[in-house]
Amino acid sequence: MVGSLNPTALVRLLGPWNSGALPAYRELADVVRLLVMDGRIPLDVALPSERALAQALDLSRTTVTAAYAALREQGFLTAGQGSRGRTCIPHRTSPVSAPGLAIPEGLTDFAYASLPAAGEVVHRAFADALTDLPALLPGFGYDAVGVVALRKAIAEKYCAEGVPTTEEQILVTSGAQHALNIVLRTLAGKQDKVLVEHPTYPNALDAIRAAGCKPSPVGLPGITSRTSPGWDMDAMMTTMRQQRPAMAYLVPDFHNPTGRVMSDLQRRVLVRAAAAAGTVLVVDETLRALNLDDVRTAPMASFGPGVVSIGSLSKSHWAGLRTGWIRAEEDLIARFVSVRAIMDLGGPVVEQLAAARLVRSFDEPLNERLSALRENREYLLGLLGEHLPSWEAERPRGGLTVWCRLPTPSSTALTVLAPDFGVRLAAGPRFGVGGAFEQYLRVPFTLPPAKLEAAILAIRAAQDKLDAAPHLRRDLATGQPPAVAVA
Ligand SMILES: Cc1ncc(COP(=O)(O)O)c(C=O)c1O
């Protein structure tokens, strides 16, 4: 948004702002800050000049100057050298986490593969959501299926991708992880087998185990740095035929951790094989928007009606929205809804209204996000080649991470040592079952180049320490990788 706020409009928005409890400049700054935070003053809007506002409020110019200085210091007003400052929100270079997720100051978090919010877009969506809210306030606020506007927007997005979908085929969830838990508890009983790619997303493995199910791992073909080897269709089909898993959980769109993408041909074969084996195919499309190489693929659901698709705004827009969804046939959605009611009674309404606006103009933040990620990917691959030349790195087609093969099985030992050098890592075995992937490490390229470089140098230093004292590899590899939170 580009514009300016005239003094009369700002005075109206401020209302009776001056209680006299604090110095006037502080109260003025506090109220302007609140107005920016709740969206009543949009972002990137020029505030009135100091002189004009002082006149309109009948204050000394010094008071307004001090209030604007406080806003600048807090990050709510641009520096505005020689011109009028514009509203903004504070830019933080390090993620601010809730207690429990907080990592010590100065430690780079390489265990999370997630981006900060597409700030202005998300902020504006929340501000606009407040204008949509009054229409829903007369209702009870419990909605186990999800706010209609959001379900419609998600259904339209699938239609636009060539998958006819109605809003009745969408269940809104609190993120993809929540969606997977609902699906597991509906479709898989205790002791049932769930086919997974090996490696796969660690929190999915945890959810499968927590539901009392047994992961049936199917290895992905080995790393090559030139071409992406994709999926082993024969192995998948054999596992389905022989083990008859109740469900298969797959990440065909920029797979976590390898960043691979499944071809349309493989999708078609897989959907047919799953239907023949009586296995419900559950595809996690959380990373589908992070299509760095602009690969054209059709959503898995376009190859057969039985596919259950899970989506999320966490990687395309912001994980803090905690908004995801399930797309499936209507009768299955009804079953998911009754299972969901055991866990929670619906998602928060304002988040869903904001999400509806984001989904309606889904691509808005993507250009900028993707070009930064492309640069980061190249930069990280260059750093790995330069500082860790004995590691083999698979070039990801999309997503947020590079899956690396180490020269020795030392992933757990590195993960234990790395925090001493300033980096938190997720060890390879977190991505597999039965202690596999001790010779692998997932490295994210979500951070800006300077931070990537510092982190890779830190890993190099940890690797040097390990090389100098090889017994550490054995002593530190307990068989149980450190239980760090991963995303
Ligand atoms: C494949 C995959 N699924 C699900 C999630 C979690 O998604 P959400 O934040 O929507 O629960 C992630 C996050 O890293 C992911 O990579």
Side-chain angles (χ1 to χ4, degrees), residues 24 37 54-55 59 106 115 122 149 158 166 183 192 196 200 203 265 335 408 421:
M37 286 199 318
Q55 220 166 35
L59 290 172
L115 293 165
V122 171
Y158 276 103
T166 64
V183 170
D192 272 353
V196 292
T200 190
N203 293 329
L265 181 62
R335 288 173 61 201
T408 53
F421 296 90

PDB file of all heavy atoms in Angstrom, residues 24 37 54-55 59 106 115 122 149 158 166 183 192 196 200 203 265 335 408 421:
ATOM      1  N   ALA A  24       3.224  12.911  27.328  1.00  0.00           N
ATOM      2  CA  ALA A  24       2.364  12.950  26.138  1.00  0.00           C
ATOM      3  C   ALA A  24       3.009  12.255  24.938  1.00  0.00           C
ATOM      4  O   ALA A  24       2.342  11.538  24.187  1.00  0.00           O
ATOM      5  CB  ALA A  24       2.028  14.396  25.796  1.00  0.00           C
ATOM      6  N   MET A  37      -0.452  -1.788  14.664  1.00  0.00           N
ATOM      7  CA  MET A  37      -0.465  -3.237  14.906  1.00  0.00           C
ATOM      8  C   MET A  37      -1.820  -3.851  14.625  1.00  0.00           C
ATOM      9  O   MET A  37      -1.922  -4.984  14.185  1.00  0.00           O
ATOM     10  CB  MET A  37      -0.035  -3.539  16.339  1.00  0.00           C
ATOM     11  CG  MET A  37       1.465  -3.347  16.486  1.00  0.00           C
ATOM     12  SD  MET A  37       2.209  -4.138  17.890  1.00  0.00           S
ATOM     13  CE  MET A  37       1.135  -3.865  19.196  1.00  0.00           C
ATOM     14  N   ALA A  54       1.408  18.395  15.043  1.00  0.00           N
ATOM     15  CA  ALA A  54       1.464  19.217  16.260  1.00  0.00           C
ATOM     16  C   ALA A  54       0.342  20.260  16.227  1.00  0.00           C
ATOM     17  O   ALA A  54      -0.371  20.461  17.228  1.00  0.00           O
ATOM     18  CB  ALA A  54       2.835  19.890  16.368  1.00  0.00           C
ATOM     19  N   GLN A  55       0.159  20.847  15.060  1.00  0.00           N
ATOM     20  CA  GLN A  55      -0.891  21.861  14.920  1.00  0.00           C
ATOM     21  C   GLN A  55      -2.281  21.233  15.121  1.00  0.00           C
ATOM     22  O   GLN A  55      -3.093  21.744  15.884  1.00  0.00           O
ATOM     23  CB  GLN A  55      -0.813  22.423  13.510  1.00  0.00           C
ATOM     24  CG  GLN A  55      -1.033  23.914  13.447  1.00  0.00           C
ATOM     25  CD  GLN A  55      -0.604  24.424  12.065  1.00  0.00           C
ATOM     26  OE1 GLN A  55      -0.775  23.734  11.059  1.00  0.00           O
ATOM     27  NE2 GLN A  55      -0.029  25.611  12.026  1.00  0.00           N
ATOM     28  N   LEU A  59      -0.355  20.510  20.095  1.00  0.00           N
ATOM     29  CA  LEU A  59       0.774  20.103  20.939  1.00  0.00           C
ATOM     30  C   LEU A  59       2.009  20.870  20.498  1.00  0.00           C
ATOM     31  O   LEU A  59       2.037  21.419  19.383  1.00  0.00           O
ATOM     32  CB  LEU A  59       1.083  18.621  20.732  1.00  0.00           C
ATOM     33  CG  LEU A  59       0.102  17.591  21.250  1.00  0.00           C
ATOM     34  CD1 LEU A  59       0.524  16.213  20.747  1.00  0.00           C
ATOM     35  CD2 LEU A  59       0.095  17.599  22.783  1.00  0.00           C
ATOM     36  N   GLY A 106      22.242 -16.216  19.890  1.00  0.00           N
ATOM     37  CA  GLY A 106      23.506 -16.448  19.185  1.00  0.00           C
ATOM     38  C   GLY A 106      23.590 -17.812  18.528  1.00  0.00           C
ATOM     39  O   GLY A 106      24.492 -18.058  17.740  1.00  0.00           O
ATOM     40  N   LEU A 115      10.445 -20.191   7.150  1.00  0.00           N
ATOM     41  CA  LEU A 115      10.784 -18.806   6.834  1.00  0.00           C
ATOM     42  C   LEU A 115      10.029 -17.856   7.751  1.00  0.00           C
ATOM     43  O   LEU A 115       8.948 -18.198   8.243  1.00  0.00           O
ATOM     44  CB  LEU A 115      10.376 -18.506   5.388  1.00  0.00           C
ATOM     45  CG  LEU A 115      11.148 -19.256   4.311  1.00  0.00           C
ATOM     46  CD1 LEU A 115      10.419 -19.151   2.982  1.00  0.00           C
ATOM     47  CD2 LEU A 115      12.560 -18.668   4.182  1.00  0.00           C
ATOM     48  N   VAL A 122       0.965 -10.783   5.173  1.00  0.00           N
ATOM     49  CA  VAL A 122       0.261 -11.449   6.266  1.00  0.00           C
ATOM     50  C   VAL A 122      -0.368 -10.400   7.190  1.00  0.00           C
ATOM     51  O   VAL A 122      -1.520 -10.524   7.617  1.00  0.00           O
ATOM     52  CB  VAL A 122       1.227 -12.377   7.048  1.00  0.00           C
ATOM     53  CG1 VAL A 122       0.568 -12.903   8.313  1.00  0.00           C
ATOM     54  CG2 VAL A 122       1.665 -13.538   6.163  1.00  0.00           C
ATOM     55  N   ALA A 149     -15.663 -18.995   3.965  1.00  0.00           N
ATOM     56  CA  ALA A 149     -14.867 -18.190   3.017  1.00  0.00           C
ATOM     57  C   ALA A 149     -13.524 -18.863   2.745  1.00  0.00           C
ATOM     58  O   ALA A 149     -13.035 -18.851   1.611  1.00  0.00           O
ATOM     59  CB  ALA A 149     -14.645 -16.799   3.596  1.00  0.00           C
ATOM     60  N   TYR A 158      -7.793 -25.360  -5.744  1.00  0.00           N
ATOM     61  CA  TYR A 158      -7.662 -26.693  -6.368  1.00  0.00           C
ATOM     62  C   TYR A 158      -8.272 -26.687  -7.771  1.00  0.00           C
ATOM     63  O   TYR A 158      -7.699 -27.246  -8.713  1.00  0.00           O
ATOM     64  CB  TYR A 158      -8.329 -27.771  -5.501  1.00  0.00           C
ATOM     65  CG  TYR A 158      -7.422 -28.282  -4.404  1.00  0.00           C
ATOM     66  CD1 TYR A 158      -7.582 -27.882  -3.085  1.00  0.00           C
ATOM     67  CD2 TYR A 158      -6.372 -29.157  -4.699  1.00  0.00           C
ATOM     68  CE1 TYR A 158      -6.740 -28.332  -2.082  1.00  0.00           C
ATOM     69  CE2 TYR A 158      -5.525 -29.621  -3.710  1.00  0.00           C
ATOM     70  CZ  TYR A 158      -5.708 -29.205  -2.407  1.00  0.00           C
ATOM     71  OH  TYR A 158      -4.865 -29.654  -1.425  1.00  0.00           O
ATOM     72  N   THR A 166     -15.183 -28.941  -4.369  1.00  0.00           N
ATOM     73  CA  THR A 166     -16.199 -28.077  -3.756  1.00  0.00           C
ATOM     74  C   THR A 166     -15.766 -27.758  -2.334  1.00  0.00           C
ATOM     75  O   THR A 166     -14.921 -28.458  -1.758  1.00  0.00           O
ATOM     76  CB  THR A 166     -17.562 -28.790  -3.691  1.00  0.00           C
ATOM     77  OG1 THR A 166     -17.408 -29.938  -2.822  1.00  0.00           O
ATOM     78  CG2 THR A 166     -18.009 -29.251  -5.057  1.00  0.00           C
ATOM     79  N   VAL A 183      -6.138 -37.442   9.968  1.00  0.00           N
ATOM     80  CA  VAL A 183      -6.216 -38.477   8.933  1.00  0.00           C
ATOM     81  C   VAL A 183      -5.789 -39.833   9.508  1.00  0.00           C
ATOM     82  O   VAL A 183      -6.447 -40.863   9.311  1.00  0.00           O
ATOM     83  CB  VAL A 183      -5.337 -38.082   7.725  1.00  0.00           C
ATOM     84  CG1 VAL A 183      -5.209 -39.224   6.745  1.00  0.00           C
ATOM     85  CG2 VAL A 183      -5.921 -36.859   7.028  1.00  0.00           C
ATOM     86  N   ASP A 192      -1.626 -50.841  12.457  1.00  0.00           N
ATOM     87  CA  ASP A 192      -1.688 -50.778  10.989  1.00  0.00           C
ATOM     88  C   ASP A 192      -0.374 -50.249  10.438  1.00  0.00           C
ATOM     89  O   ASP A 192       0.334 -49.478  11.091  1.00  0.00           O
ATOM     90  CB  ASP A 192      -2.818 -49.824  10.539  1.00  0.00           C
ATOM     91  CG  ASP A 192      -4.143 -50.556  10.412  1.00  0.00           C
ATOM     92  OD1 ASP A 192      -4.155 -51.796  10.542  1.00  0.00           O
ATOM     93  OD2 ASP A 192      -5.160 -49.873  10.202  1.00  0.00           O
ATOM     94  N   VAL A 196       5.808 -45.071   4.228  1.00  0.00           N
ATOM     95  CA  VAL A 196       6.436 -43.738   4.190  1.00  0.00           C
ATOM     96  C   VAL A 196       7.662 -43.786   3.285  1.00  0.00           C
ATOM     97  O   VAL A 196       8.296 -44.837   3.131  1.00  0.00           O
ATOM     98  CB  VAL A 196       6.901 -43.254   5.596  1.00  0.00           C
ATOM     99  CG1 VAL A 196       5.728 -42.965   6.505  1.00  0.00           C
ATOM    100  CG2 VAL A 196       7.870 -44.238   6.252  1.00  0.00           C
ATOM    101  N   THR A 200      11.955 -39.330   5.500  1.00  0.00           N
ATOM    102  CA  THR A 200      10.721 -38.552   5.441  1.00  0.00           C
ATOM    103  C   THR A 200      10.713 -37.489   6.539  1.00  0.00           C
ATOM    104  O   THR A 200      11.667 -37.354   7.314  1.00  0.00           O
ATOM    105  CB  THR A 200       9.487 -39.468   5.543  1.00  0.00           C
ATOM    106  OG1 THR A 200       8.319 -38.689   5.254  1.00  0.00           O
ATOM    107  CG2 THR A 200       9.335 -40.072   6.930  1.00  0.00           C
ATOM    108  N   ASN A 203       8.293 -35.193  11.909  1.00  0.00           N
ATOM    109  CA  ASN A 203       7.070 -35.061  12.716  1.00  0.00           C
ATOM    110  C   ASN A 203       5.959 -35.966  12.196  1.00  0.00           C
ATOM    111  O   ASN A 203       5.053 -36.327  12.950  1.00  0.00           O
ATOM    112  CB  ASN A 203       6.602 -33.602  12.749  1.00  0.00           C
ATOM    113  CG  ASN A 203       7.598 -32.728  13.495  1.00  0.00           C
ATOM    114  OD1 ASN A 203       8.270 -33.182  14.422  1.00  0.00           O
ATOM    115  ND2 ASN A 203       7.732 -31.486  13.076  1.00  0.00           N
ATOM    116  N   LEU A 265       4.003 -38.979 -14.378  1.00  0.00           N
ATOM    117  CA  LEU A 265       3.895 -40.395 -14.715  1.00  0.00           C
ATOM    118  C   LEU A 265       3.924 -41.239 -13.435  1.00  0.00           C
ATOM    119  O   LEU A 265       3.103 -42.139 -13.233  1.00  0.00           O
ATOM    120  CB  LEU A 265       5.046 -40.785 -15.659  1.00  0.00           C
ATOM    121  CG  LEU A 265       5.042 -42.231 -16.120  1.00  0.00           C
ATOM    122  CD1 LEU A 265       3.776 -42.522 -16.926  1.00  0.00           C
ATOM    123  CD2 LEU A 265       6.281 -42.542 -16.952  1.00  0.00           C
ATOM    124  N   ARG A 335     -16.107 -37.992   8.031  1.00  0.00           N
ATOM    125  CA  ARG A 335     -15.456 -38.839   9.048  1.00  0.00           C
ATOM    126  C   ARG A 335     -14.328 -38.082   9.742  1.00  0.00           C
ATOM    127  O   ARG A 335     -14.130 -38.179  10.942  1.00  0.00           O
ATOM    128  CB  ARG A 335     -14.923 -40.125   8.395  1.00  0.00           C
ATOM    129  CG  ARG A 335     -16.045 -41.084   7.999  1.00  0.00           C
ATOM    130  CD  ARG A 335     -15.509 -42.260   7.210  1.00  0.00           C
ATOM    131  NE  ARG A 335     -14.540 -43.053   7.962  1.00  0.00           N
ATOM    132  CZ  ARG A 335     -13.648 -43.872   7.389  1.00  0.00           C
ATOM    133  NH1 ARG A 335     -13.611 -44.017   6.075  1.00  0.00           N
ATOM    134  NH2 ARG A 335     -12.806 -44.549   8.135  1.00  0.00           N
ATOM    135  N   THR A 408      31.299 -40.090   6.504  1.00  0.00           N
ATOM    136  CA  THR A 408      31.285 -41.149   7.526  1.00  0.00           C
ATOM    137  C   THR A 408      29.948 -41.062   8.279  1.00  0.00           C
ATOM    138  O   THR A 408      29.292 -40.015   8.251  1.00  0.00           O
ATOM    139  CB  THR A 408      32.418 -40.922   8.567  1.00  0.00           C
ATOM    140  OG1 THR A 408      32.274 -39.588   9.066  1.00  0.00           O
ATOM    141  CG2 THR A 408      33.794 -41.113   7.962  1.00  0.00           C
ATOM    142  N   PHE A 421      29.586 -24.788  18.650  1.00  0.00           N
ATOM    143  CA  PHE A 421      30.125 -23.904  17.617  1.00  0.00           C
ATOM    144  C   PHE A 421      29.060 -22.932  17.098  1.00  0.00           C
ATOM    145  O   PHE A 421      29.290 -22.197  16.146  1.00  0.00           O
ATOM    146  CB  PHE A 421      30.697 -24.746  16.458  1.00  0.00           C
ATOM    147  CG  PHE A 421      31.871 -25.576  16.885  1.00  0.00           C
ATOM    148  CD1 PHE A 421      31.690 -26.863  17.367  1.00  0.00           C
ATOM    149  CD2 PHE A 421      33.160 -25.057  16.857  1.00  0.00           C
ATOM    150  CE1 PHE A 421      32.768 -27.629  17.794  1.00  0.00           C
ATOM    151  CE2 PHE A 421      34.242 -25.813  17.272  1.00  0.00           C
ATOM    152  CZ  PHE A 421      34.043 -27.108  17.748  1.00  0.00           C
TER     153      PHE A 421
END
